[in-house]
Amino acid sequence: MKIKNICCIGAGYVGGPTMSVIALKCPDIKVTVVDLNEARINAWNDENLENLPVYEQGLAEVVSKTRGKNLFFSTDVDIAIDTADMIFIAVNTPTKTYGEGKGMAADLKFVELCARQIARVANNDKIIVEKSTLPVRTAETIQTILDSTGNGVNFEVLSNPEFLAEGTAIDDLFKADRVLIGGNQTPSGKKAIQALVDVYSNWLSPKQILTTNVWSSELSKLTANAFLAQRISSINAMSALCEATEADVDEVAHAIGTDSRIGSKFLKASVGFGGSCFQKDILNLVYLCSFFNLPEVANYWEQVIKLNDYQKHRFAKKIINTLFNTVNGKKIAFLGWAFKKDTNDTRESAAIYVADHLIEDGANIHVYDPKVSESKIKADLVYLWELRGISELRISQKIAKIFVHKDYNEALNNSHAIAVLTEWDEFTTYDWNTIYQNMYKPAFVFDGRNILDASVLNEIGFQFKGIGKG
Ligand code: UDX
Ligand code: UDX
């Protein structure tokens, strides 16, 4: 079966870039990305490519080459579903904030809504592709909904988890380590798998395309994210020990990373991992393990999250303790708010939690991030506080302690301390001599990403604290 029309529901960080690359690499396929959020679709259609809702290196170029040719962004979900042979579901699956499984389980309400809408609208056979990260056996749920409410149409459900990392999404899509496609091991399931293999074969080699049964594919995504996050929590755990023993965590990471069995990637100690996936997926994994009555396995993975929370708190506490046990009324400058460099995404960013901790101690936080807007930064904090049930009055008092600047000098001048929360390259190019002149003394720098040169900063006169530096 040759795919001619693809529809993707969800024009977010995953759906937008993934479909743009499919459109570029498969000029014969018409790709329509739909979303309920009209503002987001308008932004994807904006003439000025700087206004795309997702910032990714190389994305604007891909969109400029494909949009209006074989790539379309629309809010008309029904039409896109009706005309597609293959429908990707790339809606968000956040951690549940209510009811059964609150704080742990993935909220599948959007996925379920998509399945119901597809069942209602579809008039001919379709392949449904799960792109969103989902608990194991979700394909079964989707299949059941499709089969019980459909119009006698045949649906084949595939799992095709996305492994791209934000900030390098386009490159990751062009040169994927692997694409994983899970499907039913029946004749029609195998045909559907082959149809998706053919799409990716437009630019990837057979070696890069793995096929499995549906459940292995769904579980592999959770497992991959759990393993990656576990490495960060492991090195962050060692960073605390390094600080107590005068070892240097970067030296330790380098030394162990040269062992080919361990490998050098994902061993960068930090203020803690963030992003839309790691925490959500591990919590989801923990919930699944508990559900299947595997408490030892659940506890094992939960430690990865607990250690990450500890690391964020430890960083905030270190700032407070070093600043003579209080930051009340002090100006603390934040360099960076995004959860990593080269993205405007802030979901679960460590910066949110560090800011919360410091504001609770009375600090005034002055943020500069090259890509994140003031409204997003404030919305992140308000969301956290509302989730915790903090009163409206208290939230308005707390939010008055956050200041967002477009010029980094405004954030840094007359500050008592600087905290680096995101590893943006530009921070290493600043004139740190001048920054020092314009700060209160002693001038503290807390490098939550270990990107600044400690010896240079110490030489200038800063009191410099890195992560895991004894
Ligand atoms: C994706 C995945 O779907 C998630 O499971 C994975 O773990 C991370 O990547 P992402 O693309 O980052 O999520 O989410 P987001 O940027 O929030 O985009 C989802 C889009 O779906 C939003 O634009 C939202 O408006 C849209 N949506 C949501 C719909 O169009 N319909 C819905 O019913 C729900
Ligand atoms: C992750 C997975 O890498 C990707 O395969 C999956 O599809 C989605 O989740 P993403 O969250 O976009 O991607 O970024 P990633 O590069 O994995 O970074 C996640 C967090 O870990 C960031 O906050 C980053 O700063 C942090 N990190 C990463 C470290 O603290 N140390 C490291 O060594 C690597």
Side-chain angles (χ1 to χ4, degrees):
M1 174 184 187
K2 194 160 164 34
I3 301 299
K4 291 213 160 53
N5 255 298
I6 286 180
C7 157
C8 173
I9 310 179
Y13 283 89
V14 168
T18 310
M19 292 304 127
S20 303
V21 168
I22 291 185
L24 181 76
K25 298 292 185 180
C26 312
D28 297 335
I29 300 179
K30 180 182 170 198
V31 181
T32 309
V33 191
V34 292
D35 202 296
L36 292 178
N37 182 337
E38 199 174 339
R40 211 166 209 190
I41 290 297
N42 289 342
W44 279 111
N45 283 324
D46 201 303
E47 294 252 319
N48 182 354
L49 291 165
E50 286 197 1
N51 294 335
L52 294 183
V54 170
Y55 171 74
E56 278 292 342
Q57 272 170 9
L59 174 64
E61 201 190 332
V62 176
V63 172
S64 76
K65 285 183 181 155
T66 48
R67 200 176 56 186
K69 290 193 186 112
N70 65 330
L71 176 67
F72 302 90
F73 295 93
S74 161
T75 49
D76 201 332
V77 186
D78 281 4
I79 289 187
I81 290 175
D82 187 30
T83 48
D85 327 301
M86 183 176 264
I87 301 169
F88 286 78
I89 300 181
V91 295
N92 41 333
T93 49
T95 305
K96 270 186 97 173
T97 54
Y98 56 90
E100 183 67 27
K102 176 180 173 182
M104 302 289 271
D107 192 340
L108 299 183
K109 76 172 173 222
F110 300 133
V111 173
E112 185 178 334
L113 279 172
C114 287
R116 290 187 186 281
Q117 190 166 8
I118 294 168
R120 181 171 53 76
V121 172
N123 286 309
N124 57 349
D125 295 356
K126 301 199 187 290
I127 299 170
I128 311 301
V129 186
E130 301 176 343
K131 207 47 161 160
S132 305
T133 310
L134 299 163
V136 193
R137 301 204 78 88
T138 307
E140 198 171 29
T141 309
I142 296 178
Q143 189 82 54
T144 308
I145 293 170
L146 292 171
D147 290 347
S148 14
T149 43
N151 321 326
V153 165
N154 285 321
F155 296 103
E156 232 3 278
V157 182
L158 300 178
S159 158
N160 173 219
E162 189 49 73
F163 294 105
L164 64 80
E166 286 176 33
T168 52
I170 299 299
D171 219 39
D172 291 348
L173 286 160
F174 282 166
K175 305 186 227 145
D177 280 346
R178 75 339 203 156
V179 160
L180 182 57
I181 301 172
N184 288 324
Q185 301 301 304
T186 55
S188 63
K190 286 181 181 161
K191 251 171 73 184
I193 292 175
Q194 190 56 45
L196 188 52
V197 168
D198 291 343
V199 171
Y200 285 112
S201 297
N202 279 291
W203 77 97
L204 298 173
S205 72
K207 270 207 316 233
Q208 291 166 290
I209 305 175
L210 311 180
T211 58
T212 62
N213 77 33
V214 185
W215 325 123
S216 304
S217 172
E218 287 180 334
L219 186 56
S220 296
K221 175 63 193 268
L222 293 181
T223 309
N225 276 345
F227 270 60
L228 290 170
Q230 180 204 42
R231 283 175 70 92
I232 304 169
S233 277
S234 296
I235 199 69
N236 281 344
M238 299 323 286
S239 76
L241 188 57
C242 286
E243 286 167 33
T245 56
E246 299 200 2
D248 178 322
V249 75
D250 285 333
E251 290 180 353
V252 172
H254 180 69
I256 65 165
T258 51
D259 183 328
S260 60
R261 294 169 303 175
I262 296 175
S264 60
K265 292 180 183 161
F266 265 70
L267 284 181
K268 185 78 188 155
S270 68
V271 55
F273 61 74
S276 69
C277 286
F278 284 173
Q279 171 156 317
K280 162 177 79 69
D281 290 352
I282 295 176
L283 288 173
N284 184 359
L285 186 64
V286 170
Y287 182 75
L288 276 173
C289 295
S290 307
F291 179 82
F292 289 110
N293 198 21
L294 301 167
E296 290 80 2
V297 187
N299 292 342
Y300 176 77
W301 287 111
E302 196 172 11
Q303 280 305 315
V304 174
I305 299 293
K306 287 193 176 153
L307 202 287
N308 197 48
D309 288 340
Y310 161 78
Q311 187 75 347
K312 293 180 274 189
H313 280 137
R314 205 168 73 78
F315 186 74
K317 255 167 70 183
K318 183 161 216 162
I319 296 177
I320 297 170
N321 293 347
T322 311
L323 269 70
F324 318 109
N325 276 327
T326 180
V327 287
N328 200 323
K330 291 179 182 166
K331 175 174 177 180
I332 313 291
F334 270 30
L335 286 178
W337 189 265
F339 81 97
K340 63 190 271 198
K341 72 171 179 177
D342 296 336
T343 175
N344 61 349
D345 193 351
T346 62
R347 287 175 287 180
E348 290 302 328
S349 180
I352 303 168
Y353 296 90
V354 175
D356 167 56
H357 201 108
L358 296 177
I359 288 172
E360 201 41 48
D361 208 78
N364 295 315
I365 308 289
H366 290 251
V367 187
Y368 167 75
D369 186 291
K371 287 285 173 202
V372 184
S373 67
E374 174 167 359
S375 57
K376 188 113 161 246
I377 291 172
K378 291 187 169 167
D380 286 338
L381 284 164
V382 170
Y383 178 77
L384 175 74
W385 293 330
E386 282 178 352
L387 211 60
R388 289 189 183 157
I390 294 175
S391 73
E392 224 171 283
L393 173 67
R394 183 75 190 112
I395 289 180
S396 65
Q397 291 165 341
K398 277 155 91 82
I399 209 74
K401 305 205 78 57
I402 203 113
F403 305 85
V404 181
H405 302 277
K406 289 209 163 80
D407 173 352
Y408 66 86
N409 284 307
E410 283 173 17
L412 302 180
N413 287 348
N414 300 316
S415 65
H416 294 80
I418 297 171
V420 178
L421 275 304
T422 313
E423 72 281 23
W424 287 103
D425 291 336
E426 68 168 70
F427 301 157
T428 62
T429 66
Y430 290 173
D431 175 359
W432 285 93
N433 264 304
T434 309
I435 292 172
Y436 180 74
Q437 307 304 329
N438 294 332
M439 281 178 69
Y440 282 107
K441 309 294 177 317
F444 294 98
V445 171
F446 299 88
D447 186 354
R449 297 291 185 162
N450 287 344
I451 53 167
L452 300 174
D453 188 327
S455 56
V456 170
L457 267 73
N458 280 323
E459 181 93 345
I460 293 173
F462 282 104
Q463 302 279 323
F464 182 83
K465 310 264 177 209
I467 296 273
K469 306 280 176 179

